[in-house]
Structures are given as C-alpha cells and as structure tokens.
Amino acid sequence: MSHQTPAGKWTGRVLAPGDGLRAWWSGRSRVQKWGFGVLAFGVLALWPLFPPPFFDTPGISFGGTMAQFAMVAIIAIGLNVVVGQAGLLDLGYVGFYAVGAYTVALLTSPDSPWNRLSETGAFSEKWAWLTCVPIAMAATAMAGLILGIPTLRLRGDYLAIVTLGFGEIIRLLADNLNDITNGSRGLNQVAYPHIGQTEKLPDGVFSSGNSTGDANYGTWWFWLGLVLIVAILLLVGNLERSRVGRAWVAIREDEDAAEVMGVNTFRFKLWAFVIGAAIGGLSGALYAGQVQYVAPPTFNIINSMLFLCAVVLGGQGNKLGVIFGAFIIVYLPNRLLGVHLLGINLGDLKYLFFGLALVVLMIFRPQGLFPVRQQLLTYGKSARKLLQRADDTKAAA
C-alpha cells in the first residue's frame, strides 16, 4: 500500500505489512487505541479456552504454551526498555531473570537454607509467592543498580561483553553454591498462589494438579501473566511519553548529541537498566511459581539470546512488537513439537530456524517486523517539510 503523509499527499512508496499496520494504528485516536487494545487482549485471554484449530499445539498443552508466552513477553518488554528504548546492548539479561526466580525459590523452597515458609502470616503457604514477587523485583532492581553503576559508562561491544559476563556469573554461582542453591540439583517445591481451592482442587487452580480441561493451571498462569503484561505496558507507555522516555530516545539515536544537549545520559541509562531488571525479576518470579523448580541450566546464554531474538524480531523500541516477537519465539517450537520431516523432529531445530530468520530479517528488514525508528524518521521528515513550507511562504511574501 502507498503511504500518505500528514499533509495528505501520497508518496507512492510501497510499505511492508508491518509498516502498513503501524501506520494505520498511528492514525487512530487514543480512545480508539484503548478500545482495540481491550478487545485484542480479551480475545487473547479466550484463546486457551477456544484455541483456533490452526494455532493449537497438538504435542503440548496450548494453555501451557500461552503461559510460557506470557513469561517471555514480560521478559521481552523489560529487555526492550534496555535495548530498544535506551539503546543499551544487554546480552546477559537472563541473569536478572535468574535472580528473580532464585529469590522466590530461596525464600520458599524446603531445599533452601533461607526458607521462610510459615503456617501463618505473609509467608504462609497460601500467600508466600505473592509476598515474594515484590521482593524478587526489588532484588533484581538492586542487582541492576549494582551492575549498572560501574558498567554503564561503557558503550557498544564493551557493554555487551560485561553484561554477557554478568549472566554467566549468576548461572555459575547458582551452580556452585551447593550449600545455598542446592547446586545443579536445583530447588524443588517452590511456592505458588494457593487460590481457588476446592475439594476437587485442594491446592488451587494454579497447582499442577489442575491439569485437565481447558482452564488448566497453564491457562490460569497465562491469565495472571496477561494481567501483569497490561500493567507493565501501562507503566512503560507512561514512561515513553515522559521526560525519561524522551531522554531514552535521544540516547538511543545519538548519545553524544544527547549529552551535548544537556541530557544526563548516565542517570537515564541507569534508570533503564534498573527498570528493565525489575521487570525481568518479575518474569523470573512467575517462572519459579509456575514450574515450582529452579535449576541453573534454565538460565544459560542460549535463552538470553532467544530473549534478545524476540526483541529484534518484533522491532526494537516497539513494546507491542516485541510481544509479537515473544509469541513467535515460544509458539513455533511448541507448534512443531512432534512434527517429523525425514525422521527429524522439527521442534528440536528451533535454534536453526531462529538463526535463519534473523539472517533473513537483517538482510531484508533490519529494523524488525514492527520498527519504531521509522516512525521517528517519518516525524522528522514531516517537520522538515513544514519548516520548508514556512520558508517558502516567507520568501513568496
């Protein structure tokens, strides 16, 4: 489709599907966007109950797949704050995910020496997970602050190497501190919300015992994740429209120019790092409660690359785009699970598929499927045209 400028003229340039959709979305009013958003999330919430035939995952529970998608979507939004909005290349974001998961596990697992479970109070079996969620977010935010203060004066590849090392250090600590983390054996029986307890489900709807029917425990975890996604989107959206968000955009586009214009680049980069870390910790707490088991292999560098892949595929800086990228990362391997071609299980080739997808994307669409940078360039071009028109008017007068 052709692109129409704010002045109403058609440029004749053919847009990609992502551009056309985003151009249509940008033309909607704020009330319309809210209406479409509520409708879209409502339909998404009903998917596990009424899965579309083509989208169903025959090899695994569709509710469990959607629950995994919600966790990865939260991670992608948090990583997008760091990479997409502030322009900081973080290759060790899985470290924050691990800190959040281990915080919940260390405070609630019977295998942990720091177990704080009690019969009553905030750390009772029913409320322990909910109590640990803000603690996990605070712990990861503190980890982001401790890591960010000495490292955020670095840029580009140097920052990427440092963050990569941070992610590996967290995993190695979890693997070697046997007296605290139980080493490679991991921590079992992590707390989860005991809500909706009945005679049929004595441990509640979030327990693994709720494994039959459409509204199984995976579906309930997905619904909880969806509520958290909406809350995070509201927070991040308000930040984007604030002075903090404008500073992030300036740093991402040209850090030197932003600093010359008076932006305290170090402080705003630290803000992005801490906020992104806290969101990653929230997803880690969600993972620990859902799986009820935390072990070091989950937090390897490969998973960190997959999280970054979700951001790159969806479009850096576009919070809705990275959610779509997270869906691709989670859904495709589960959809292909059990599908054999020439005796090969296609579900085991996810890294090959994502690697090829990234290569193709970098060649034909390096901005991602739903880029945000192009919108900024469009606004800049429109501003230049308005200034040129004003100059022409003065010259004619």
Side-chain angles (χ1 to χ4, degrees):
M1 60 176 289
S2 298
H3 174 60
Q4 189 178 24
T5 65
K9 297 181 180 179
W10 294 91
T11 63
R13 181 171 60 87
V14 178
L15 299 180
D19 292 330
L21 180 61
R22 190 169 44 76
W24 174 85
W25 179 256
S26 300
R28 307 279 73 79
S29 67
R30 190 168 179 79
V31 175
Q32 290 175 328
K33 289 180 179 180
W34 272 96
F36 282 116
V38 171
L39 180 62
F41 275 96
V43 171
L44 193 61
L46 293 175
W47 265 26
L49 300 179
F50 309 100
F54 177 77
F55 283 100
D56 197 9
T57 51
I60 192 173
S61 166
F62 188 69
T65 299
M66 296 303 288
Q68 186 183 359
F69 153 65
M71 285 189 299
V72 177
I74 293 175
I75 294 173
I77 296 171
L79 184 57
N80 182 58
V81 172
V82 180
V83 177
Q85 296 183 352
L88 306 174
L89 184 55
D90 187 350
L91 298 182
Y93 192 76
V94 72
F96 298 127
Y97 181 52
V99 170
Y102 265 100
T103 299
V104 176
L106 288 171
L107 293 175
T108 63
S109 172
D111 299 329
S112 167
W114 297 352
N115 177 18
R116 291 294 180 268
L117 283 178
S118 60
E119 295 183 1
T120 59
F123 280 95
S124 63
E125 189 177 39
K126 184 174 184 179
W127 302 108
W129 184 84
L130 295 174
T131 303
C132 289
V133 168
I135 297 176
M137 294 180 68
T140 49
M142 183 60 65
L145 184 66
I146 293 173
L147 175 66
I149 289 176
T151 62
L152 286 180
R153 300 188 187 279
L154 301 174
R155 299 186 189 181
D157 298 340
Y158 302 102
L159 178 62
I161 292 171
V162 171
T163 54
L164 180 65
F166 166 74
E168 281 298 287
I169 287 171
I170 296 297
R171 184 185 65 81
L172 291 173
L173 284 175
D175 202 12
N176 290 281
L177 295 177
N178 295 304
D179 294 337
I180 299 175
T181 64
N182 208 24
S184 58
R185 291 170 294 179
L187 297 172
N188 291 285
Q189 301 179 38
V190 179
Y192 59 91
H194 288 258
I195 299 174
Q197 295 171 308
T198 61
E199 292 184 1
K200 186 178 179 181
L201 297 172
D203 294 324
V205 295
F206 289 95
S207 69
S208 57
N210 180 22
S211 58
T212 58
D214 294 326
N216 55 27
Y217 78 103
T219 301
W220 281 92
W221 279 106
F222 167 63
W223 287 339
L224 176 59
L226 201 61
V227 171
L228 294 175
I229 288 173
V230 172
I232 295 170
L233 286 177
L234 290 174
L235 171 65
V236 174
N238 287 329
L239 284 174
E240 283 182 349
R241 293 184 292 272
S242 69
R243 181 170 176 262
V244 175
R246 292 192 295 271
W248 286 343
V249 172
I251 294 170
R252 181 188 69 205
E253 297 302 314
D254 194 324
E255 185 173 345
D256 292 328
E259 195 163 3
V260 169
M261 295 303 294
V263 177
N264 189 333
T265 56
F266 175 76
R267 185 179 69 180
F268 286 109
K269 287 194 295 184
L270 192 60
W271 265 104
F273 220 65
V274 171
I275 293 172
I279 296 174
L282 172 61
S283 184
L286 201 66
Y287 166 80
Q290 181 183 345
V291 180
Q292 300 166 37
Y293 172 72
V294 176
T298 306
F299 311 105
N300 55 39
I301 187 60
I302 297 298
N303 283 331
S304 192
M305 295 301 104
L306 284 178
F307 300 154
L308 186 61
C309 183
V311 175
V312 174
L313 281 175
Q316 300 180 44
N318 188 340
K319 54 186 181 297
L320 295 179
V322 301
I323 293 177
F324 181 76
F327 180 78
I328 294 176
I329 292 297
V330 173
Y331 172 76
L332 284 183
N334 288 319
R335 181 65 180 85
L336 296 175
L337 193 65
V339 178
H340 291 80
L341 180 65
L342 301 177
I344 301 174
N345 187 353
L346 297 182
D348 296 334
L349 301 179
K350 61 180 179 180
Y351 301 121
L352 173 63
F353 293 147
F354 292 142
L356 292 175
L358 284 178
V359 170
V360 173
L361 198 70
M362 290 302 102
I363 294 174
F364 297 103
R365 187 134 175 110
Q367 312 97 328
L369 296 176
F370 301 97
V372 74
R373 177 179 171 82
Q374 185 173 341
Q375 186 176 11
L376 296 174
L377 295 177
T378 302
Y379 289 156
K381 186 182 295 185
S382 300
R384 286 194 297 272
K385 287 183 178 179
L386 289 174
L387 291 174
Q388 183 64 39
R389 188 179 304 168
D391 292 339
D392 294 341
T393 302
K394 289 181 180 180

